[in-house]
Amino acid sequence: MPQRLRKAVFPVGGLGTRFLPATKAMPKEMLPIVDKPLIQYAVEEALEAGIDQMIFVTGRGKHAIEDHFDIAFELEATMSGRGKSLTVLDGTLLTPGSIAYCRQQEPMGLGHAVWCARDIVGDEPFAVLLADDFMVGKPGCLKQMVEAYEQVGGNLICAQEVAESRTDQYGIITPGARRGALTEVKGLVEKPKPSDAPSNLAIVGRYILQPGVMRVLESQEKGAGGEIQLTDAMARMIGEQPFHGVTFDGVRHDCGDKAGFIQANIAVALSRDDVGPAVKAFIETL
């Protein structure tokens, strides 16, 4: 049986330049989908999947994330004094033993951000969740991946078919045998030109990795974009351990993109009883 998955890494140290000026003083992970920040959706997804410890790899100016998952005494006391329910804050308090923070001092890429968590991860398998990949499904994306991990072990990445013209925006899988939602991974290429892409099966922001990837990242050279790419490090592990892609049964919104972020807000708003009717009525007037 594979070793139980207990830890998840959230790389949240990026600068969020695509959403300036909104992200000048606010982490992009705190941008809300209706009334809940992206990072809270990701944490709730990890909790559903059985994760015990959340590891946030932060940077300068990210204190709002730490505050969000802490007690807000003044707010809670004021709300209670006015007779307002505190249930709206459910999911915003993580107990001290279930959360850890470390710093990525330079924006050197996703691989570097994951490597910054090496001492907290230790010698255990771990998940990686990118909050701006907003995944909507039941069960959640990571839970679907954990169920697959319990069958095959090794390393798993979330996979999604993308338009062939967009392969240069993603890590792309060289596929092997397919069995239901599982695809054997024969190789990985970071952001290939459409003419060079081995498939249109892209890696999206969920991973389950064995601790050996940290030793690979230790010596990983810079790749696409002049950054240390997690995809390049994973590619070096193929053939040494089982490696599979899991096609997510649900909907992904790319909230690292302005249009994708707006679409996610509209989709979630329309699905809710409290704001859905008003939003639908407004859209029909456009």
Side-chain angles (χ1 to χ4, degrees), residues 175-243:
R178 298 192 180 192
R179 178 167 55 88
L182 280 172
T183 300
E184 183 183 8
V185 176
K186 292 288 190 179
L188 298 170
V189 184
E190 180 64 25
K191 299 179 180 177
K193 296 178 181 179
S195 58
D196 299 329
S199 74
N200 69 333
L201 202 58
I203 306 167
V204 294
R206 301 292 185 273
Y207 311 77
I208 295 175
L209 300 172
Q210 296 300 313
V213 73
M214 295 298 192
R215 292 186 287 275
V216 178
L217 287 167
E218 186 86 39
S219 59
Q220 183 64 46
E221 297 180 354
K222 293 180 180 180
E227 297 181 335
I228 297 174
Q229 298 289 350
L230 182 60
T231 301
D232 294 340
M234 292 190 300
R236 291 169 59 186
M237 299 172 64
I238 294 172
E240 298 179 2
Q241 300 170 345
F243 219 115

Side-chain angles (χ1 to χ4, degrees), residues 7-278:
K7 299 181 179 182
V9 174
F10 299 83
V12 293
L15 299 175
T17 54
R18 281 186 284 182
F19 280 88
L20 288 169
T23 50
K24 180 180 179 182
M26 178 178 70
K28 68 174 181 177
E29 297 82 10
M30 289 298 295
L31 293 172
I33 302 298
V34 183
D35 53 8
K36 186 188 297 184
L38 284 165
I39 189 63
Q40 186 175 338
Y41 283 103
V43 166
E44 290 175 353
E45 181 185 328
L47 289 169
E48 179 199 20
I51 298 298
D52 296 330
Q53 186 175 37
M54 315 295 165
I55 304 166
F56 294 90
V57 182
T58 68
R60 291 179 62 84
K62 299 286 184 167
H63 60 273
I65 295 174
E66 297 183 36
D67 291 343
H68 183 73
F69 292 109
D70 200 356
I71 293 173
F73 177 78
E74 298 87 350
L75 173 64
E76 294 175 21
T78 300
M79 290 178 65
S80 295
R82 294 176 179 175
K84 294 185 177 182
S85 172
L86 297 181
T87 57
V88 70
L89 298 177
D90 288 351
T92 65
L93 180 61
L94 295 176
T95 57
S98 68
I99 192 166
Y101 296 95
C102 60
R103 278 288 185 103
Q104 182 185 21
Q105 295 178 323
E106 298 178 75
M108 293 174 59
L110 177 58
H112 180 259
V114 171
W115 179 76
C116 287
R118 64 196 181 281
D119 290 337
I120 306 174
V121 167
D123 193 26
E124 293 188 44
F126 62 100
V128 178
L129 295 92
L130 307 186
D132 54 8
D133 268 327
F134 177 47
M135 315 295 267
V136 181
K138 292 184 179 181
C141 182
L142 188 61
K143 186 171 177 60
Q144 292 180 31
M145 293 180 67
V146 168
E147 290 171 354
Y149 169 73
E150 290 170 349
Q151 298 176 34
V152 297
N155 303 276
L156 293 97
I157 49 183
C158 184
Q160 181 185 48
E161 290 186 352
V162 297
E164 293 181 1
S165 61
R166 300 184 65 201
T167 59
D168 59 353
Q169 300 176 34
Y170 296 91
I172 299 295
I173 293 171
T174 302
R178 298 192 180 192
R179 178 167 55 88
L182 280 172
T183 300
E184 183 183 8
V185 176
K186 292 288 190 179
L188 298 170
V189 184
E190 180 64 25
K191 299 179 180 177
K193 296 178 181 179
S195 58
D196 299 329
S199 74
N200 69 333
L201 202 58
I203 306 167
V204 294
R206 301 292 185 273
Y207 311 77
I208 295 175
L209 300 172
Q210 296 300 313
V213 73
M214 295 298 192
R215 292 186 287 275
V216 178
L217 287 167
E218 186 86 39
S219 59
Q220 183 64 46
E221 297 180 354
K222 293 180 180 180
E227 297 181 335
I228 297 174
Q229 298 289 350
L230 182 60
T231 301
D232 294 340
M234 292 190 300
R236 291 169 59 186
M237 299 172 64
I238 294 172
E240 298 179 2
Q241 300 170 345
F243 219 115
H244 294 84
V246 180
T247 303
F248 171 50
D249 183 13
V251 177
R252 168 185 173 257
H253 296 282
D254 180 5
C255 290
D257 172 79
K258 292 176 186 176
F261 175 71
I262 294 168
Q263 291 162 11
N265 268 282
I266 294 171
V268 172
L270 289 173
S271 72
R272 288 178 43 164
D273 295 335
D274 56 345
V275 296

